[in-house]
């Protein structure tokens, strides 16, 4: 079902790029989201928990949330041409999910340490925050191509702002989980450190956007770096841990 | 004498104004935030708190210089502590500078977003204060016990009465369950401790850290901690998330009065 949903997402992206496809953009995205919802539901039923326990499952949920957010914004009036960039970002996330190896996609029993409502809240809010950053990145691409378009700049600011409370809540829930699981809420684990870097960097567009010289290309660049940090925190940190041979408790 | 006193007061006022101007600037705050982010990132390029032997084997001749630079205990170095302190000072200054303007906005009925902005800054201060309390007043220790074993660490005593591994039908581990007695300052708590479900008694938290089975002998490592900063961090984090949500989810007044304004 994930593969079908992925194909539909590809079609939805093409429809967003197709000049004559205006009428079909919203229904195509709606259909994709419905298929993605069914795929997630199936996975949840098979695994016995909401799919957030490993990187494959997290990527599925993140794509689903990004699509949901784009659909909401399009229904609110976000122009199809502008949304096309965000749909492309969602497609990239989905591509990461579907290209995982069979091992990574396999359903495994949950480790005892992962059986915590705080972990569920931590991962769910992280996915919400990352979805906001993904849409902000899509809007930032649009802003780079059309720097005089005020609506793109507003969308970047809005989406970074939408993401920030969830990112904060995610770090807080993770800290509470870490206190219960390992006896410390903060341990400078590489994953924790990069979550903090992402949080700190998210403060930059929020603080600088009111300044006139930070409203166009510079704002777009900040949002794109933000999204690069999202990707690095998600998939780059495990690579860094292996490369530098660091100790990390976040090897899921 | 009076003239000298007046000059000193004048100088103090100037220093205060300059500090407020420097610390209250938005671009200054952003620059410091970016610098802190880079510093945090640098620490993830080196193993933190690893054993000296392991470091020497891995880094060879470079170990001494990397160690002298503090890169193996990076987050405890004056560089990071100073940056965090400056960032905290920036946040407090920003809060103080904004207080009057925001209060005026609240009185003029400009909405919740105005006071929520102040709340986010206060919340960050609370989190930093909690972190400082943890670092300066916190206590933690690990203790390894066989079933039936007991250990005393100052006013805290731990006794392991029983230990079981809860398995699923397929043999995978669902949970680890320890029956323990924790005595703190003479008061005893006896309970089952599971993964993610620690036992807390008079501010002392006990949780299962590791389990090992050697030569038909089961030993469990427990982690004990007393952290006066934790409640403050949770309170600050909750306030921060709530105020950030109010700031960015209640649209009309969002950013009202913030256009091109520093502080």
């Amino acid at each position: 079902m994930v593969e079908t949903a992925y194909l539909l997402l590809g079609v939805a992206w093409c429809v967003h790029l197709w000049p004559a496809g205006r009428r079909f953009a919203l229904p195509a995205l709606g259909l994709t989201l419905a298929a993605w919802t069914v795929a997630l539901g199936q996975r949840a039923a098979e695994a016995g928990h909401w799919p957030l326990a490993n990187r494959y499952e997290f990527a599925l949920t993140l794509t689903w949330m990004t699509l949901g957010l784009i659909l909401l914004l399009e229904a609110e009036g976000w122009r199809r041409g502008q949304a096309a960039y965000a749909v492309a970002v969602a497609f990239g996330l989905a591509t990461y999910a579907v290209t995982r190896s069979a091992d990574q996609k396999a359903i495994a029993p949950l480790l005892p340490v992962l059986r915590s409502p705080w972990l569920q809240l931590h991962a769910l809010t992280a996915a919400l925050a990352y979805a906001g950053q993904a849409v902000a990145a899509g809007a930032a691409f649009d802003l780079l191509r059309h720097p005089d378009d005020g609506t793109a700049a507003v969308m970047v600011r809005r989406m970074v702002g939408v993401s920030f409370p969830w990112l904060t809540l995610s770090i807080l829930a993770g800290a509470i989980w870490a206190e219960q699981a390992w006896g410390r809420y903060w341990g400078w684990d590489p994953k924790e450190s990069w979550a903090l870097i992402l949080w700190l960097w998210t403060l930059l567009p929020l603080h600088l956007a009111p300044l006139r010289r930070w409203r166009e290309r510079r704002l777009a660049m900040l949002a794109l770096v933000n999204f690069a940090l999202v990707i690095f925190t998600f998939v780059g940190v495990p690579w860094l841990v292996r490369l530098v041979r660091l100790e990390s408790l976040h090897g899921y | 004498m009076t003239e000298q006193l007046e000059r000193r007061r004048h100088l103090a006022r100037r220093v205060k104004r300059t500090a407020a101007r420097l610390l209250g600037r938005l671009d200054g705050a952003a620059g410091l935030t970016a610098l802190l982010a880079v510093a945090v990132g640098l620490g993830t390029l080196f193993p933190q708190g690893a054993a000296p032997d392991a470091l020497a084997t891995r880094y060879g001749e470079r170990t001494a210089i990397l160690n002298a630079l503090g890169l193996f205990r990076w987050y405890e170095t004056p560089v990071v502590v100073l940056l965090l302190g400056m960032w905290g000072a920036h946040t407090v200054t920003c809060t103080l500078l904004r207080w009057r303007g925001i209060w005026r906005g609240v009185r003029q009925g400009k909405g919740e977003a105005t006071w929520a902005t102040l709340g986010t800054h206060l919340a960050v201060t609370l989190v930093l204060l909690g972190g400082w309390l943890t670092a300066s007043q916190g206590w933690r220790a690990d203790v390894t016990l066989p079933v039936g074993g007991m250990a005393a660490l100052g006013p805290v005593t731990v006794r392991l009465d029983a230990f079981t591994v809860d398995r699923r039908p397929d043999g995978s581990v669902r949970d680890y369950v320890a029956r323990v007695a924790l005595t703190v300052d003479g008061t005893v708590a006896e309970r089952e401790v599971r993964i993610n479900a620690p036992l807390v008694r008079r501010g002392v938290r006990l949780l299962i850290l590791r389990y090992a089975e050697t030569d038909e002998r089961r030993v469990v490592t427990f982690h004990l901690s007393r952290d006066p900063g934790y409640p403050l961090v949770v309170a600050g984090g909750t306030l921060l998330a709530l105020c950030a949500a109010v700031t960015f989810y209640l649209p009309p007044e969002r950013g009202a009065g913030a256009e091109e304004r520093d502080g």
Side-chain angles (χ1 to χ4, degrees), chain B residues 16-153:
Chain B
K16 207 170 139 187
R17 264 204 302 271
T18 310
R21 203 172 57 236
L22 286 173
L23 288 170
R25 287 179 64 91
L26 275 181
D27 45 7
L32 192 56
T33 304
L35 203 60
L36 184 60
V38 171
V40 172
L42 187 61
T44 65
L45 300 179
F46 299 91
Q48 300 297 308
D53 292 351
L55 292 172
T57 310
R58 190 166 156 193
Y59 291 98
E61 288 173 356
R62 289 174 300 157
T63 311
I65 189 157
L66 293 174
N67 199 31
L69 290 170
L71 290 168
F72 300 131
R73 290 199 172 272
W74 179 242
Y75 300 110
E76 296 161 21
T77 57
V79 178
V80 177
V81 173
L82 189 72
L83 272 173
L84 267 170
M86 280 172 68
W87 193 72
H90 223 303
T91 309
V92 172
T93 313
C94 192
T95 310
L96 294 174
L97 289 175
R98 279 170 166 241
W99 170 251
R100 280 187 189 163
I102 286 170
W103 183 241
R104 207 177 304 126
V106 171
R107 290 186 68 178
Q108 287 167 1
K110 280 191 177 172
E112 291 83 355
T114 43
W115 61 257
T117 311
L118 184 70
T120 54
H121 289 77
L122 279 172
V124 169
T125 313
L126 276 182
V127 172
L128 288 172
L129 199 61
W132 173 75
L133 269 177
T134 298
S136 61
Q137 310 289 317
W139 166 84
R140 54 193 66 244
D142 292 348
V143 56
T144 302
L145 293 173
V147 175
M150 196 167 96
L153 297 152

